[in-house]
C-alpha cells in the first residue's frame, strides 16, 4: 500500500474528547479524519449518536468558559446556518450540551478536520498501518488512532423495560421528555447520581410529579445537584426502592410501575406513571475493539503509562470516558482529548511519519 493512502491520524468518536483531539491534531497539521458515528435508530437507542452524551443533556453549568448568559448571537455567528437551524434557539441560560458540542465540532472543522458520519465496525490493530472498517465504504488505514468513543447508558434488563422502550421507557430525558405523552403526568426516574437528578429536574418542566427511585438511602449525586432534587417540590424521592416492573399495555404504552423495597423484603407499591427514565450509569463503548486493546474488568480502556494516553498497542491512544470510569466529566474528557493529540503528534514524529 502506498503511504499516500494511509491516514496520519484517525479519531473515532465525536464527544468533547474527540473534538478536542481533532482541534489539537489539526493545528499540528496531522490532517485528522474523525469518524463521528452514524445517525441511525440503532445508535439513538444505544445513546451513541454523533456528538456524544453531552448532546443528550440540557444546560451545561460546569464547563469552564461558558457562564450563564446570552450566547445566542455568538452561536448564530459561529455555526453554519444549516447546523444552527437544527438546534433550539439559545434560551439565555448556560450553554446547552448540543450547543457546546456543535461549537467544538466547528472549531475542529475550522482547522481542517475532515469528518465522516459513520461508525467504525471493527479494527485490526495487530499490524501497522492500522485497519479500520466503517459500516459504509472501504476499510481505512492509519498510522495512528485515537479512540474516543465514550460510554452509553445502561438499562436494568427487565423484560417489561424492553417491551416499553420507545413507548414510555427511555434512557434520555432530554431527547424524549418533551413528548406529549409525558405532559402533566407522573414520571419515574431510576438512579441516584448526577444524571438521575439532572433528568428528574429537566422532567419537572413537563411532568406533574417526578418520582426519583433510588436503591439506597442517599443520593450519589454531587451536593449541589442532590440539594436541588431535595428542594424541588415537584420531585418526590423514593429511597431504598427498586423498579421491579414497568406496567402498561399495547394500546397506551407505560401506565405505571411496580416498586419494591430494597431493605424490607416483600414490601412494595405501585404508582401510576406515563414514563420511566433510566439514569443508572454507563458502559464504555469498547465492544467494536474485540479485545485488541487491554481493558479494565469494567471494560474501560487502560492507559498503560502514567499520565499519558497510550493504550496497550503502540500508536493507539485513548481519550475521554472510554478510558475514564472515575471523573467522567465533559471538561476532563476534553482535557484527555488534548493530551491524546499531543501524545499522537509526538509518537508520529518519533516514527518519522
Ligand atoms: P453514576 O454516578 O455512576 O450513578 C449511577 C446511579 O445509578 C447510582 O446512583 C447507582 O446506584 C444507580 N444504579 C446503578 N446500577 C443500578 C441498578 N442496576 N439498579 C438501580 N440503580 C442503579 O452515573 P451518572 O449519574 O450517569 O454519572 C456519571 C458521571 O457523569 C458522574 O461522574 C457524574 O458526576 C457525571 N455527571 C455530571 C453531571 C453534572 O455535573 N451536571 C451530570 C450528569 C453526569 P448507587 O448509588 O447505589 O451505586
Amino acid at each position: 500500500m502506498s503511504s499516500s493512502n494511509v491516514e496520519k491520524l484517525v479519531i473515532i468518536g465525536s464527544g468533547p474528547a474527540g473534538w478536542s483531539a481533532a482541534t489539537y491534531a489539526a493545528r499540528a497539521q496531522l490532517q485528522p479524519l474523525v469518524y463521528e458515528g452514524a445517525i441511525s435508530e440503532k445508535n439513538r437507542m444505544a445513546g451513541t449518536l454523533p456528538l456524544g452524551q453531552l448532546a443528550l443533556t440540557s444546560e451545561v453549568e460546569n464547563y469552564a468558559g461558558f457562564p450563564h448568559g446570552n450566547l445566542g448571537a455568538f452561536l448564530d455567528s459561529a455555526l453554519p446556518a444549516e447546523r444552527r437551524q437544527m438546534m433550539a434557539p439559545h434560551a439565555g441560560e448556560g450553554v446547552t450540551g448540543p450547543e457546546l458540542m456543535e461549537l467544538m465540532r466547528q472549531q475542529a472543522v475550522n482547522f481542517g478536520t475532515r469528518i465522516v458520519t459513520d461508525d467504525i465496525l471493527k479494527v485490526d490493530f495487530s499490524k501497522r498501518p492500522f485497519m479500520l472498517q466503517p459500516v459504509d465504504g472501504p476499510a481505512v488505514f492509519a498510522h495512528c488512532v485515537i479512540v474516543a468513543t465514550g460510554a452509553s447508558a445502561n438499562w436494568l434488563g427487565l423484560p417489561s423495560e424492553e417491551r416499553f422502550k420507545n413507548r414510555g421507557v427511555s434512557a434520555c430525558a432530554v431527547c424524549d421528555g418533551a413528548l406529549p405523552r409525558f405532559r402533566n403526568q407522573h414520571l419515574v426516574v431510576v438512579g441516584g447520581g448526577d444524571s438521575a437528578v439532572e433528568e428528574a429536574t429537566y422532567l419537572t418542566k413537563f411532568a406533574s410529579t417526578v418520582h426519583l427511585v433510588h436503591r439506597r438511602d442517599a443520593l450519589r449525586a454531587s451536593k449541589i445537584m442532590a440539594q436541588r432534587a431535595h428542594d424541588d417540590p415537584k420531585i418526590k424521592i423514593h429511597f431504598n426502592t427498586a423498579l421491579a416492573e414497568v406496567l402498561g399495555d399495547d394500546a397506551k404504552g407505560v401506565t405505571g410501575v411496580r416498586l419494591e423495597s430494597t431493605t424490607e423484603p416483600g414490601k412494595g407499591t405501585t404508582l401510576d406513571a406515563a414514563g420511566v427514565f433510566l439514569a443508572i450509569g454507563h458502559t464504555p463503548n469498547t465492544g467494536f475493539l474485540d479485545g485488541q486493546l487491554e481493558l479494565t474488568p469494567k471494560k474501560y480502556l487502560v492507559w498503560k503509562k502514567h499520565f499519558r494516553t497510550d493504550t496497550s498497542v503502540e500508536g493507539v491512544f485513548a481519550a475521554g470516558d472510554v478510558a475514564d470510569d472515575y471523573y467522567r466529566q465533559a471538561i476532563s474528557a476534553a482535557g484527555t482529548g488534548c493530551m491524546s493529540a499531543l501524545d499522537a503528534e509526538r509518537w508520529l514524529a518519533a516514527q518519522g511519519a
Side-chain angles (χ1 to χ4, degrees), residues 104 123 130 153 167 177-178 187 223 308 333:
M104 285 194 195
V123 295
F130 303 123
R167 290 188 300 154
L187 301 178
K223 285 201 172 59
R308 298 283 182 273

Side-chain angles (χ1 to χ4, degrees), residues 59-319:
E59 285 82 25
V60 180
E61 297 175 341
N62 52 5
Y63 198 96
F66 289 90
H68 178 99
N70 195 342
L71 297 161
F74 173 63
L75 287 159
D76 292 343
S77 67
L79 296 173
E82 68 276 14
R83 293 196 72 87
R84 183 73 184 106
Q85 272 162 15
M86 295 188 296
M87 303 165 72
H90 186 75
E93 297 172 1
V95 71
T96 67
E99 288 168 352
L100 185 54
M101 295 319 302
E102 286 287 355
L103 289 169
M104 285 194 195
R105 184 183 191 275
Q106 189 58 40
Q107 196 173 5
V109 168
N110 290 350
F111 290 109
T113 298
R114 292 159 300 138
I115 299 170
V116 180
T117 306
D118 199 1
D119 291 326
I120 294 296
L121 263 187
K122 60 178 182 177
V123 295
D124 183 355
F125 291 157
S126 65
K127 53 183 180 297
R128 299 209 292 255
F130 303 123
M131 188 282 289
L132 301 97
Q133 178 61 59
V135 175
D136 279 330
V140 175
F141 292 86
H143 292 299
C144 185
V145 174
I146 294 174
V147 180
T149 45
S152 37
N154 290 341
W155 299 89
L156 284 170
L158 300 170
S160 56
E161 171 193 65
E162 189 61 36
R163 179 177 169 205
F164 293 112
K165 269 185 192 171
N166 261 350
R167 290 188 300 154
V169 172
S170 165
C172 179
V174 178
C175 320
D176 301 328
L179 292 172
R181 68 184 309 145
F182 299 130
R183 298 281 163 123
N184 300 313
Q185 303 289 326
H186 286 246
L187 301 178
V188 172
V189 173
V190 183
D194 281 331
S195 297
V197 172
E198 191 173 70
E199 302 233 326
T201 307
Y202 178 77
L203 289 170
T204 59
K205 293 185 194 184
F206 314 107
S208 56
T209 303
V210 178
H211 300 269
L212 184 56
V213 171
H214 183 37
R215 63 185 177 183
R216 287 189 301 118
D217 62 357
L219 295 177
R220 172 184 296 281
S222 55
K223 285 201 172 59
I224 187 169
M225 302 278 280
Q227 195 59 46
R228 203 172 282 175
H230 284 290
D231 291 348
D232 194 319
K234 279 182 133 186
I235 297 178
K236 183 165 190 280
I237 308 180
H238 302 254
F239 285 116
N240 298 319
T241 303
L243 174 67
E245 188 183 0
V246 181
L247 306 173
D249 56 51
D250 288 341
K252 292 196 194 119
V254 173
T255 57
V257 289
R258 186 164 61 79
L259 302 177
E260 276 176 1
S261 167
T262 55
T263 50
E264 297 175 64
K267 202 174 157 206
T269 183
T270 57
L271 286 178
D272 288 341
V276 176
F277 293 84
L278 283 306
I280 56 166
H282 295 84
T283 299
N285 298 319
T286 50
F288 74 103
L289 297 167
D290 200 24
Q292 294 182 57
L293 299 178
E294 188 178 331
L295 303 177
T296 70
K298 288 185 190 166
K299 312 272 186 225
Y300 287 82
L301 284 173
V302 174
W303 281 325
K304 295 297 285 180
K305 295 183 186 169
H306 179 65
F307 220 71
R308 298 283 182 273
T309 61
D310 302 60
T311 67
S312 55
V313 170
E314 205 187 304
V316 180
F317 301 87

